[in-house]
Amino acid sequence: MTEINLTITARAADELQDYLQQQGQPVRLAINPGGCSGFDIQFAGGLPQANDLVLVEGALLVDPISYSLIAGATVDFMDAIGKEGFVVNNIPNMEARCGCGKSFSLAD
Protein backbone atom coordinates (compact mmCIF):
# COMPACT_ATOMS: atom_id res chain seq x y z
CA MET A 1 0.00 0.00 0.00
CA THR A 2 1.31 3.43 -0.93
CA GLU A 3 1.60 5.96 1.86
CA ILE A 4 -0.75 8.88 1.28
CA ASN A 5 0.91 12.29 1.57
CA LEU A 6 -2.10 14.62 1.62
CA THR A 7 -3.13 16.62 4.67
CA ILE A 8 -6.86 17.05 5.30
CA THR A 9 -7.68 19.72 7.89
CA ALA A 10 -10.22 18.95 10.61
CA ARG A 11 -12.60 21.53 9.11
CA ALA A 12 -12.35 19.95 5.65
CA ALA A 13 -12.86 16.46 7.10
CA ASP A 14 -16.03 17.62 8.89
CA GLU A 15 -17.39 19.28 5.74
CA LEU A 16 -16.56 16.20 3.64
CA GLN A 17 -18.43 13.96 6.07
CA ASP A 18 -21.39 16.37 6.09
CA TYR A 19 -21.48 16.31 2.29
CA LEU A 20 -21.38 12.52 2.22
CA GLN A 21 -24.24 12.27 4.70
CA GLN A 22 -26.39 14.90 2.99
CA GLN A 23 -25.75 13.97 -0.66
CA GLY A 24 -25.21 10.23 -0.31
CA GLN A 25 -21.99 10.34 -2.30
CA PRO A 26 -18.39 11.39 -1.64
CA VAL A 27 -16.59 14.44 -2.97
CA ARG A 28 -14.19 13.90 -5.87
CA LEU A 29 -11.05 16.05 -6.01
CA ALA A 30 -9.78 16.21 -9.58
CA ILE A 31 -6.90 18.14 -11.13
CA ASN A 32 -7.49 18.71 -14.85
CA PRO A 33 -5.55 20.57 -17.53
CA GLY A 34 -7.05 24.03 -17.93
CA GLY A 35 -7.89 27.09 -15.93
CA CYS A 36 -6.01 30.32 -16.27
CA SER A 37 -2.80 28.93 -14.73
CA GLY A 38 -2.45 25.45 -16.26
CA PHE A 39 -4.21 23.00 -13.93
CA ASP A 40 -7.79 23.40 -12.74
CA ILE A 41 -8.79 22.22 -9.25
CA GLN A 42 -12.29 20.75 -9.16
CA PHE A 43 -14.37 19.44 -6.28
CA ALA A 44 -17.65 17.71 -7.19
CA GLY A 45 -19.79 14.84 -6.03
CA GLY A 46 -18.85 11.53 -7.58
CA LEU A 47 -18.82 7.78 -7.27
CA PRO A 48 -15.69 5.72 -6.65
CA GLN A 49 -13.78 4.53 -9.72
CA ALA A 50 -11.15 1.82 -10.01
CA ASN A 51 -7.78 2.91 -8.58
CA ASP A 52 -9.20 5.93 -6.69
CA LEU A 53 -7.61 6.85 -3.41
CA VAL A 54 -10.45 6.80 -0.87
CA LEU A 55 -9.81 9.14 2.05
CA VAL A 56 -11.61 10.60 5.08
CA GLU A 57 -13.58 7.43 5.75
CA GLY A 58 -14.92 7.28 2.21
CA ALA A 59 -15.84 10.96 1.93
CA LEU A 60 -13.03 12.07 -0.44
CA LEU A 61 -11.97 10.47 -3.72
CA VAL A 62 -8.79 11.34 -5.63
CA ASP A 63 -7.64 9.64 -8.83
CA PRO A 64 -3.95 8.65 -9.00
CA ILE A 65 -3.01 11.24 -11.66
CA SER A 66 -4.59 14.11 -9.71
CA TYR A 67 -2.93 12.87 -6.53
CA SER A 68 0.49 12.84 -8.22
CA LEU A 69 0.11 16.57 -9.00
CA ILE A 70 -0.80 17.60 -5.44
CA ALA A 71 0.95 15.03 -3.22
CA GLY A 72 2.13 16.84 -0.10
CA ALA A 73 -0.60 19.51 -0.31
CA THR A 74 -3.34 20.41 2.18
CA VAL A 75 -7.08 20.14 1.57
CA ASP A 76 -8.99 22.71 3.60
CA PHE A 77 -12.43 24.31 3.70
CA MET A 78 -12.67 28.07 3.29
CA ASP A 79 -15.63 29.98 4.69
CA ALA A 80 -15.18 33.63 3.75
CA ILE A 81 -17.45 36.15 2.08
CA GLY A 82 -17.58 35.25 -1.61
CA LYS A 83 -15.25 32.28 -1.18
CA GLU A 84 -16.80 29.26 0.45
CA GLY A 85 -15.80 25.71 -0.34
CA PHE A 86 -12.97 23.24 -0.47
CA VAL A 87 -9.50 24.46 -1.42
CA VAL A 88 -6.09 22.90 -1.98
CA ASN A 89 -3.21 24.80 -0.37
CA ASN A 90 0.54 24.27 0.05
CA ILE A 91 0.95 22.46 -3.27
CA PRO A 92 4.60 21.38 -3.58
CA ASN A 93 6.35 22.62 -6.73
CA MET A 94 3.61 25.19 -7.39
CA GLU A 95 4.99 28.04 -9.45
CA ALA A 96 1.92 30.27 -9.78
CA ARG A 97 -1.74 30.41 -8.84
CA CYS A 98 -4.58 32.38 -10.40
CA GLY A 99 -6.28 35.13 -8.41
CA CYS A 100 -9.37 33.08 -7.60
CA GLY A 101 -7.28 30.11 -6.41
CA LYS A 102 -9.02 27.58 -8.68
CA SER A 103 -6.02 26.87 -10.91
CA PHE A 104 -2.24 26.64 -10.58
CA SER A 105 0.91 25.87 -12.49
CA LEU A 106 3.85 23.72 -11.47
CA ALA A 107 7.55 24.51 -11.75
CA ASP A 108 9.44 22.37 -14.26
Side-chain angles (χ1 to χ4, degrees):
M1 166 114 185
T2 303
E3 181 178 328
I4 304 301
N5 184 14
L6 193 63
T7 301
I8 313 294
T9 66
R11 175 72 192 272
D14 289 344
E15 294 291 336
L16 288 163
Q17 287 296 326
D18 287 348
Y19 185 91
L20 178 61
Q21 290 175 2
Q22 292 174 9
Q23 302 299 319
Q25 64 181 351
V27 172
R28 175 172 293 285
L29 165 56
I31 308 299
N32 298 307
C36 52
S37 291
F39 292 103
D40 188 43
I41 302 169
Q42 296 179 339
F43 288 93
L47 298 175
Q49 303 293 317
N51 298 321
D52 277 346
L53 301 172
V54 180
L55 308 168
V56 193
E57 299 175 24
L60 180 64
L61 307 172
V62 184
D63 67 88
I65 294 172
S66 295
Y67 173 74
S68 71
L69 295 169
I70 60 167
T74 300
V75 176
D76 199 0
F77 187 86
M78 179 182 285
D79 190 9
I81 296 173
K83 289 189 176 185
E84 181 178 296
F86 295 103
V87 295
V88 179
N89 294 319
N90 307 319
I91 301 169
N93 301 318
M94 184 175 72
E95 183 175 66
R97 189 167 207 155
C98 70
C100 70
K102 300 259 183 208
S103 68
F104 66 97
S105 63
L106 295 173
D108 292 329

